[in-house]
Amino acid sequence: MSELPDIPSPCLGICRIDADTRQCVGCLRTAREIARWPYADNEERFAIVQALRERRRARGQTSAADSRHRRRARTGS
């Protein structure tokens, strides 16, 4: 994967783990993802953010970032 810019924490400041889903009710990260975040490289952080995007979609929740057009990586020369 190409070099990624620093990825900020997806924390929303609503830090409570739901007993049923085992996910934070604010950012939807699991306890493991929250614990890993400070030590994760950008590739792992990107994977977590992508998983959060899918969780929001599955719940019918979206953010402005979810709707933003993504540029495809350039291939070849």
Side-chain angles (χ1 to χ4, degrees):
M1 180 174 273
S2 64
E3 186 69 26
L4 294 169
D6 286 337
I7 299 174
S9 172
C11 180
L12 300 176
I14 306 169
C15 307
R16 191 175 73 244
I17 301 294
D18 180 271
D20 294 327
T21 64
R22 309 296 296 157
Q23 297 169 348
C24 174
V25 298
C27 67
L28 300 182
R29 288 182 293 171
T30 65
R32 182 185 184 287
E33 290 167 339
I34 292 167
R36 282 287 313 145
W37 192 266
Y39 309 103
D41 60 18
N42 275 343
E43 192 169 333
E44 184 177 358
R45 287 180 176 191
F46 183 75
I48 291 170
V49 169
Q50 290 299 99
L52 297 178
R53 185 177 186 196
E54 291 304 314
R55 288 177 198 153
R56 284 193 301 271
R57 282 183 175 169
R59 290 177 173 213
Q61 300 171 334
T62 58
S63 72
D66 291 340
S67 301
R68 207 171 31 217
H69 175 71
R70 304 270 192 260
R71 281 194 271 162
R72 292 183 184 263
R74 293 182 188 198
T75 58
S77 49

Coordinates of all heavy atoms in Angstrom, one line a residue:
M1 N 0.9 -1.2 0.0 CA 0.0 0.0 0.0 C 0.9 1.2 0.0 O 1.9 1.2 0.6 CB -0.9 0.0 1.2 CG -1.8 1.2 1.3 SD -3.0 1.0 2.7 CE -4.3 0.1 1.9
S2 N 0.5 2.3 -0.7 CA 1.3 3.5 -0.7 C 1.3 4.2 0.6 O 0.4 3.9 1.5 CB 0.8 4.4 -1.9 OG -0.5 4.8 -1.6
E3 N 2.2 5.1 0.8 CA 2.3 5.9 2.0 C 1.0 6.6 2.3 O 0.4 7.4 1.4 CB 3.4 6.9 1.9 CG 3.7 7.6 3.2 CD 4.3 6.7 4.3 OE1 4.9 5.7 4.0 OE2 4.1 7.1 5.5
L4 N 0.4 6.4 3.5 CA -0.8 7.1 3.9 C -0.5 8.3 4.8 O 0.4 8.2 5.6 CB -1.7 6.1 4.6 CG -2.3 5.0 3.8 CD1 -3.0 4.0 4.7 CD2 -3.3 5.4 2.8
P5 N -1.3 9.4 4.7 CA -1.1 10.4 5.7 C -1.5 9.9 7.1 O -2.2 8.9 7.2 CB -2.0 11.5 5.2 CG -3.0 10.8 4.4 CD -2.4 9.6 3.8
D6 N -1.1 10.6 8.1 CA -1.6 10.2 9.5 C -3.1 10.2 9.5 O -3.7 11.1 9.1 CB -1.0 11.2 10.5 CG 0.5 11.0 10.8 OD1 1.0 9.9 10.5 OD2 1.1 11.9 11.3
I7 N -3.6 9.1 10.1 CA -5.0 8.9 10.2 C -5.5 9.3 11.6 O -5.0 8.6 12.5 CB -5.4 7.5 9.8 CG1 -5.0 7.2 8.3 CG2 -6.9 7.3 10.0 CD1 -5.2 5.8 7.9
P8 N -6.3 10.3 11.8 CA -6.7 10.7 13.1 C -7.7 9.6 13.7 O -8.4 8.9 13.0 CB -7.4 12.0 12.9 CG -7.9 12.0 11.5 CD -6.9 11.1 10.7
S9 N -7.8 9.7 15.0 CA -8.7 8.7 15.7 C -10.1 9.0 15.3 O -10.5 10.2 15.2 CB -8.5 8.9 17.3 OG -9.5 8.2 17.9
P10 N -10.9 8.0 15.2 CA -12.3 8.2 14.9 C -13.2 8.4 16.1 O -14.4 8.5 16.0 CB -12.7 6.8 14.2 CG -11.8 5.8 14.8 CD -10.5 6.6 15.0
C11 N -12.5 8.5 17.3 CA -13.3 8.7 18.5 C -14.1 10.0 18.4 O -13.7 11.0 18.0 CB -12.3 8.9 19.7 SG -13.1 9.2 21.3
L12 N -15.4 9.9 18.9 CA -16.3 11.0 18.9 C -16.5 11.5 20.3 O -17.3 12.4 20.5 CB -17.7 10.5 18.4 CG -17.7 10.0 16.9 CD1 -19.0 9.5 16.5 CD2 -17.2 11.1 16.0
G13 N -15.8 10.9 21.3 CA -16.0 11.4 22.7 C -17.2 10.8 23.4 O -17.6 11.3 24.4
I14 N -17.8 9.9 22.8 CA -19.0 9.2 23.4 C -18.5 7.8 23.7 O -18.8 6.8 22.9 CB -20.2 9.2 22.4 CG1 -20.5 10.6 22.0 CG2 -21.4 8.5 23.1 CD1 -21.5 10.6 20.8
C15 N -17.8 7.6 24.7 CA -17.0 6.4 25.0 C -17.8 5.4 25.9 O -17.7 5.6 27.1 CB -15.7 6.7 25.5 SG -14.8 7.9 24.5
R16 N -18.5 4.5 25.3 CA -19.3 3.5 26.1 C -19.5 2.3 25.2 O -19.9 2.4 24.1 CB -20.7 4.1 26.5 CG -21.4 3.3 27.5 CD -22.7 3.9 28.0 NE -23.7 3.8 26.9 CZ -24.3 4.8 26.3 NH1 -23.9 6.1 26.6 NH2 -25.2 4.6 25.4
I17 N -19.1 1.1 25.7 CA -19.2 -0.1 25.0 C -20.6 -0.7 25.2 O -21.0 -0.9 26.3 CB -18.1 -1.1 25.4 CG1 -16.7 -0.6 25.2 CG2 -18.3 -2.5 24.7 CD1 -16.3 -0.4 23.8
D18 N -21.3 -0.9 24.1 CA -22.6 -1.5 24.2 C -22.5 -3.0 24.5 O -21.7 -3.7 23.9 CB -23.3 -1.4 22.8 CG -24.7 -2.0 22.8 OD1 -24.8 -3.2 22.4 OD2 -25.6 -1.2 23.0
A19 N -23.3 -3.4 25.5 CA -23.1 -4.8 26.0 C -23.5 -5.8 24.9 O -23.0 -6.9 24.9 CB -24.0 -5.0 27.2
D20 N -24.5 -5.5 24.1 CA -24.9 -6.4 23.0 C -24.0 -6.5 21.8 O -23.6 -7.6 21.4 CB -26.3 -6.1 22.5 CG -27.4 -6.2 23.6 OD1 -27.2 -7.1 24.5 OD2 -28.3 -5.4 23.6
T21 N -23.6 -5.4 21.3 CA -22.8 -5.4 20.1 C -21.3 -5.4 20.4 O -20.5 -5.8 19.5 CB -23.0 -4.1 19.3 OG1 -22.6 -3.0 20.0 CG2 -24.4 -4.0 18.8
R22 N -20.9 -5.1 21.6 CA -19.5 -5.1 22.1 C -18.7 -4.0 21.3 O -17.5 -4.2 21.0 CB -18.8 -6.4 22.0 CG -19.6 -7.6 22.7 CD -19.7 -7.4 24.1 NE -18.4 -7.5 24.8 CZ -18.1 -7.0 26.0 NH1 -19.0 -6.4 26.7 NH2 -16.9 -7.0 26.5
Q23 N -19.4 -3.0 20.9 CA -18.8 -1.9 20.1 C -19.1 -0.6 20.8 O -20.1 -0.4 21.5 CB -19.4 -1.8 18.7 CG -19.1 -3.0 17.8 CD -19.9 -3.0 16.6 OE1 -20.8 -2.2 16.4 NE2 -19.5 -3.9 15.7
C24 N -18.2 0.4 20.7 CA -18.4 1.7 21.2 C -19.7 2.3 20.6 O -19.8 2.3 19.4 CB -17.2 2.6 21.0 SG -17.5 4.3 21.5
V25 N -20.6 2.9 21.4 CA -21.8 3.5 20.8 C -21.5 4.8 20.1 O -22.3 5.2 19.3 CB -22.8 3.8 21.9 CG1 -23.3 2.5 22.6 CG2 -22.3 4.8 23.0
G26 N -20.3 5.4 20.3 CA -20.0 6.6 19.6 C -19.3 6.3 18.2 O -19.8 6.6 17.2
C27 N -18.2 5.6 18.3 CA -17.4 5.4 17.0 C -17.5 4.1 16.4 O -17.0 3.8 15.3 CB -15.9 5.7 17.3 SG -15.1 4.5 18.4
L28 N -18.2 3.1 17.1 CA -18.4 1.8 16.6 C -17.2 0.9 16.6 O -17.3 -0.2 16.1 CB -19.1 1.7 15.2 CG -20.4 2.4 15.1 CD1 -21.0 2.3 13.7 CD2 -21.4 1.9 16.1
R29 N -16.1 1.3 17.2 CA -14.9 0.4 17.3 C -15.1 -0.6 18.4 O -15.8 -0.3 19.4 CB -13.6 1.2 17.6 CG -13.1 2.1 16.5 CD -11.9 2.8 16.8 NE -12.1 3.8 17.9 CZ -11.1 4.5 18.5 NH1 -9.8 4.2 18.2 NH2 -11.4 5.4 19.4
T30 N -14.5 -1.7 18.2 CA -14.5 -2.7 19.3 C -13.5 -2.3 20.3 O -12.6 -1.5 20.1 CB -14.2 -4.1 18.7 OG1 -12.8 -4.1 18.3 CG2 -15.1 -4.6 17.6
A31 N -13.5 -3.0 21.5 CA -12.5 -2.7 22.5 C -11.1 -3.0 22.0 O -10.2 -2.2 22.3 CB -12.9 -3.5 23.8
R32 N -11.0 -4.0 21.3 CA -9.7 -4.4 20.7 C -9.2 -3.3 19.8 O -8.0 -2.9 19.8 CB -9.7 -5.7 20.0 CG -8.4 -6.1 19.4 CD -8.4 -7.4 18.6 NE -7.1 -7.8 18.2 CZ -6.3 -7.2 17.3 NH1 -6.8 -6.1 16.6 NH2 -5.2 -7.7 16.9
E33 N -10.1 -2.8 18.9 CA -9.7 -1.7 18.0 C -9.3 -0.5 18.7 O -8.3 0.2 18.3 CB -10.8 -1.5 17.0 CG -11.0 -2.6 16.0 CD -12.3 -2.5 15.2 OE1 -13.3 -1.8 15.6 OE2 -12.4 -3.1 14.1
I34 N -10.0 -0.1 19.8 CA -9.7 1.0 20.6 C -8.3 0.9 21.2 O -7.5 1.8 21.2 CB -10.8 1.3 21.6 CG1 -12.1 1.7 20.9 CG2 -10.3 2.4 22.6 CD1 -13.3 1.7 21.8
A35 N -8.1 -0.3 21.8 CA -6.8 -0.6 22.4 C -5.6 -0.6 21.4 O -4.5 -0.1 21.8 CB -6.9 -1.9 23.2
R36 N -5.8 -1.0 20.2 CA -4.8 -1.1 19.2 C -4.5 0.2 18.6 O -3.3 0.4 18.1 CB -5.2 -2.1 18.1 CG -5.1 -3.5 18.3 CD -3.7 -4.0 18.4 NE -2.9 -3.6 17.2 CZ -1.6 -3.3 17.3 NH1 -1.0 -3.4 18.4 NH2 -0.9 -2.9 16.2
W37 N -5.4 1.1 18.6 CA -5.2 2.4 17.8 C -3.9 3.1 18.1 O -3.2 3.5 17.1 CB -6.4 3.3 18.1 CG -6.4 4.5 17.1 CD1 -5.9 5.7 17.3 CD2 -6.9 4.5 15.8 NE1 -6.0 6.5 16.2 CE2 -6.7 5.7 15.2 CE3 -7.6 3.5 15.0 CZ2 -7.0 6.1 13.9 CZ3 -7.9 3.9 13.7 CH2 -7.7 5.1 13.2
P38 N -3.5 3.3 19.3 CA -2.3 4.1 19.6 C -1.0 3.4 19.0 O 0.0 4.1 18.8 CB -2.2 4.2 21.1 CG -3.6 3.9 21.6 CD -4.2 3.0 20.6
Y39 N -1.1 2.1 18.9 CA 0.1 1.3 18.4 C 0.0 0.9 16.9 O 1.0 0.4 16.4 CB 0.2 0.1 19.3 CG 0.1 0.4 20.7 CD1 -1.0 0.2 21.5 CD2 1.2 1.0 21.4 CE1 -1.1 0.5 22.8 CE2 1.2 1.3 22.7 CZ 0.0 1.1 23.4 OH 0.0 1.4 24.8
A40 N -1.1 1.1 16.3 CA -1.4 0.7 14.9 C -0.6 1.6 14.0 O -0.6 2.8 14.1 CB -2.9 0.7 14.6
D41 N -0.1 1.0 12.9 CA 0.5 1.8 11.8 C -0.7 2.3 11.0 O -1.9 1.9 11.2 CB 1.5 1.0 11.0 CG 1.0 -0.2 10.3 OD1 -0.3 -0.4 10.2 OD2 1.8 -1.1 10.0
N42 N -0.4 3.2 10.0 CA -1.5 3.7 9.2 C -2.2 2.7 8.4 O -3.4 2.8 8.1 CB -1.0 4.9 8.3 CG -0.9 6.2 9.0 OD1 -1.6 6.3 10.1 ND2 -0.2 7.1 8.5
E43 N -1.5 1.6 8.0 CA -2.2 0.6 7.2 C -3.3 -0.1 8.1 O -4.4 -0.3 7.6 CB -1.2 -0.4 6.7 CG -1.8 -1.4 5.7 CD -0.7 -2.2 5.0 OE1 0.4 -1.8 4.9 OE2 -1.1 -3.3 4.6
E44 N -3.0 -0.4 9.3 CA -3.9 -1.0 10.2 C -5.0 0.0 10.6 O -6.2 -0.4 10.6 CB -3.2 -1.5 11.5 CG -4.2 -2.2 12.5 CD -3.5 -2.8 13.7 OE1 -2.3 -2.6 13.8 OE2 -4.2 -3.3 14.5
R45 N -4.7 1.3 10.8 CA -5.7 2.3 11.1 C -6.7 2.4 9.9 O -7.9 2.5 10.1 CB -5.0 3.6 11.4 CG -4.4 3.7 12.7 CD -3.7 5.0 13.0 NE -3.2 5.1 14.3 CZ -2.7 6.2 14.9 NH1 -2.8 7.3 14.2 NH2 -2.2 6.1 16.1
F46 N -6.1 2.4 8.7 CA -7.0 2.5 7.5 C -8.0 1.3 7.5 O -9.2 1.5 7.2 CB -6.1 2.5 6.2 CG -6.9 2.7 5.0 CD1 -7.5 3.9 4.6 CD2 -7.1 1.6 4.1 CE1 -8.2 4.0 3.5 CE2 -7.8 1.7 3.0 CZ -8.4 3.0 2.6
A47 N -7.5 0.1 7.8 CA -8.4 -1.1 7.8 C -9.5 -0.9 8.9 O -10.6 -1.3 8.6 CB -7.5 -2.3 8.1
I48 N -9.1 -0.4 10.0 CA -10.1 -0.1 11.1 C -11.2 0.9 10.6 O -12.4 0.7 10.7 CB -9.5 0.3 12.4 CG1 -8.6 -0.8 13.0 CG2 -10.5 0.8 13.4 CD1 -7.8 -0.4 14.2
V49 N -10.7 2.0 10.0 CA -11.6 3.0 9.5 C -12.6 2.4 8.4 O -13.8 2.7 8.4 CB -10.8 4.2 9.0 CG1 -11.7 5.2 8.2 CG2 -10.2 4.9 10.1
Q50 N -12.0 1.6 7.5 CA -12.9 1.0 6.5 C -13.9 0.0 7.2 O -15.1 0.0 6.7 CB -12.0 0.2 5.5 CG -11.2 1.1 4.6 CD -12.0 2.0 3.8 OE1 -12.2 3.2 4.1 NE2 -12.5 1.5 2.7
A51 N -13.5 -0.7 8.2 CA -14.5 -1.6 8.9 C -15.6 -0.7 9.5 O -16.7 -1.1 9.5 CB -13.7 -2.4 10.0
L52 N -15.2 0.4 10.1 CA -16.2 1.3 10.7 C -17.2 1.8 9.7 O -18.4 1.9 9.9 CB -15.5 2.5 11.4 CG -14.6 2.2 12.5 CD1 -13.9 3.4 13.1 CD2 -15.3 1.4 13.6
R53 N -16.7 2.1 8.5 CA -17.5 2.6 7.4 C -18.6 1.5 7.0 O -19.8 1.8 6.9 CB -16.6 2.9 6.2 CG -17.4 3.5 5.0 CD -16.4 3.8 3.9 NE -17.1 4.5 2.8 CZ -16.6 4.6 1.6 NH1 -15.4 4.2 1.3 NH2 -17.3 5.3 0.7
E54 N -18.1 0.3 7.0 CA -19.0 -0.8 6.7 C -20.1 -1.0 7.8 O -21.2 -1.3 7.6 CB -18.3 -2.1 6.4 CG -17.5 -2.1 5.1 CD -18.3 -1.8 3.9 OE1 -19.4 -2.4 3.8 OE2 -17.9 -0.9 3.1
R55 N -19.6 -0.9 9.1 CA -20.6 -1.0 10.2 C -21.6 0.1 10.1 O -22.8 -0.2 10.4 CB -19.8 -0.9 11.5 CG -19.0 -2.1 11.8 CD -18.2 -2.0 13.1 NE -17.1 -3.0 13.0 CZ -16.0 -2.9 13.6 NH1 -15.7 -1.9 14.4 NH2 -15.1 -3.9 13.5
R56 N -21.2 1.3 9.8 CA -22.2 2.4 9.7 C -23.2 2.1 8.6 O -24.4 2.3 8.8 CB -21.5 3.8 9.5 CG -20.8 4.3 10.7 CD -20.4 5.8 10.5 NE -19.5 6.0 9.4 CZ -18.2 5.9 9.4 NH1 -17.6 5.6 10.6 NH2 -17.4 6.1 8.4
R57 N -22.7 1.7 7.5 CA -23.6 1.3 6.4 C -24.6 0.2 6.7 O -25.7 0.3 6.4 CB -22.8 0.9 5.1 CG -22.2 2.0 4.4 CD -21.5 1.5 3.2 NE -20.9 2.6 2.4 CZ -20.1 2.4 1.4 NH1 -19.7 1.2 1.0 NH2 -19.7 3.4 0.7
A58 N -24.1 -0.8 7.4 CA -24.9 -1.9 7.9 C -26.0 -1.4 8.8 O -27.1 -2.0 8.8 CB -24.1 -3.0 8.5
R59 N -25.8 -0.4 9.6 CA -26.8 0.2 10.5 C -27.6 1.3 9.8 O -28.5 1.9 10.5 CB -26.1 0.8 11.7 CG -25.4 -0.2 12.6 CD -24.7 0.5 13.7 NE -24.2 -0.4 14.7 CZ -24.1 -0.2 16.0 NH1 -24.5 1.0 16.4 NH2 -23.7 -1.1 16.8
G60 N -27.3 1.6 8.6 CA -28.0 2.7 7.9 C -27.6 4.1 8.4 O -28.2 5.1 8.1
Q61 N -26.4 4.1 9.0 CA -25.8 5.4 9.4 C -24.7 5.8 8.4 O -23.9 4.9 8.1 CB -25.2 5.3 10.8 CG -26.1 4.9 11.9 CD -25.4 4.6 13.2 OE1 -24.3 4.2 13.2 NE2 -26.1 4.8 14.3
T62 N -24.6 7.0 8.0 CA -23.5 7.4 7.2 C -23.0 8.8 7.7 O -23.7 9.5 8.4 CB -24.0 7.6 5.7 OG1 -25.0 8.5 5.6 CG2 -24.4 6.3 5.1
S63 N -21.8 9.1 7.3 CA -21.2 10.4 7.6 C -21.0 11.1 6.3 O -21.0 10.4 5.2 CB -20.0 10.2 8.4 OG -18.9 9.7 7.6
A64 N -20.6 12.3 6.4 CA -20.3 13.1 5.1 C -19.1 12.4 4.5 O -19.0 12.4 3.2 CB -20.0 14.5 5.5
A65 N -18.1 11.9 5.2 CA -17.0 11.3 4.7 C -17.3 10.0 3.9 O -16.7 9.7 2.9 CB -16.0 10.9 5.8
D66 N -18.4 9.3 4.3 CA -18.8 8.1 3.6 C -19.3 8.4 2.2 O -19.2 7.6 1.3 CB -19.9 7.4 4.4 CG -19.4 6.8 5.7 OD1 -18.2 6.6 5.8 OD2 -20.2 6.5 6.6
S67 N -19.8 9.6 2.0 CA -20.4 10.0 0.7 C -19.4 10.6 -0.2 O -19.7 10.8 -1.4 CB -21.6 10.9 1.0 OG -22.6 10.3 1.8
R68 N -18.3 11.0 0.3 CA -17.3 11.7 -0.5 C -16.7 10.8 -1.5 O -16.4 9.6 -1.3 CB -16.2 12.2 0.5 CG -15.5 13.4 0.0 CD -14.6 14.1 1.0 NE -14.0 13.1 1.9 CZ -13.8 13.3 3.2 NH1 -14.1 14.4 3.7 NH2 -13.2 12.4 3.9
H69 N -16.5 11.3 -2.7 CA -15.9 10.6 -3.8 C -14.5 10.2 -3.5 O -13.7 11.0 -2.9 CB -15.9 11.4 -5.1 CG -15.2 10.7 -6.2 ND1 -15.7 9.6 -6.9 CD2 -14.1 11.0 -6.8 CE1 -14.9 9.3 -7.8 NE2 -13.9 10.1 -7.8
R70 N -14.1 9.0 -3.7 CA -12.7 8.6 -3.5 C -11.9 8.5 -4.8 O -12.5 7.9 -5.8 CB -12.7 7.2 -2.8 CG -13.5 7.1 -1.6 CD -12.6 7.4 -0.4 NE -13.3 7.1 0.9 CZ -13.9 8.0 1.6 NH1 -13.9 9.2 1.3 NH2 -14.4 7.6 2.8
R71 N -10.7 9.0 -4.8 CA -9.9 8.8 -6.0 C -9.3 7.4 -6.0 O -8.9 6.9 -5.0 CB -8.8 9.8 -6.0 CG -9.2 11.2 -6.4 CD -8.0 12.1 -6.7 NE -7.7 12.7 -5.5 CZ -6.5 13.3 -5.3 NH1 -5.6 13.3 -6.2 NH2 -6.3 13.9 -4.1
R72 N -9.3 6.8 -7.2 CA -8.6 5.5 -7.3 C -7.1 5.7 -7.3 O -6.6 6.7 -7.9 CB -9.1 4.8 -8.6 CG -10.6 4.5 -8.5 CD -10.9 3.7 -9.8 NE -12.3 3.4 -9.8 CZ -12.9 2.3 -9.4 NH1 -12.1 1.3 -9.0 NH2 -14.2 2.1 -9.4
A73 N -6.4 4.7 -6.8 CA -5.0 4.7 -6.9 C -4.5 4.6 -8.3 O -5.1 3.9 -9.1 CB -4.4 3.6 -6.0
R74 N -3.5 5.3 -8.6 CA -3.0 5.2 -10.0 C -2.2 3.9 -10.2 O -1.5 3.5 -9.3 CB -2.0 6.4 -10.3 CG -2.8 7.7 -10.3 CD -1.8 8.8 -10.6 NE -2.5 10.1 -10.5 CZ -2.1 11.2 -11.0 NH1 -1.0 11.2 -11.7 NH2 -2.7 12.3 -10.9
T75 N -2.3 3.3 -11.3 CA -1.6 2.1 -11.6 C -0.7 2.4 -12.8 O -1.1 3.2 -13.7 CB -2.5 0.9 -11.8 OG1 -3.4 1.2 -12.9 CG2 -3.3 0.6 -10.6
G76 N 0.4 1.7 -12.9 CA 1.2 1.9 -14.1 C 1.9 3.2 -14.1 O 2.0 3.9 -13.1
S77 N 2.5 3.6 -15.3 CA 3.1 4.9 -15.3 C 2.5 5.9 -16.3 O 1.6 5.6 -16.9 CB 4.6 4.7 -15.8 OG 4.7 3.9 -16.9

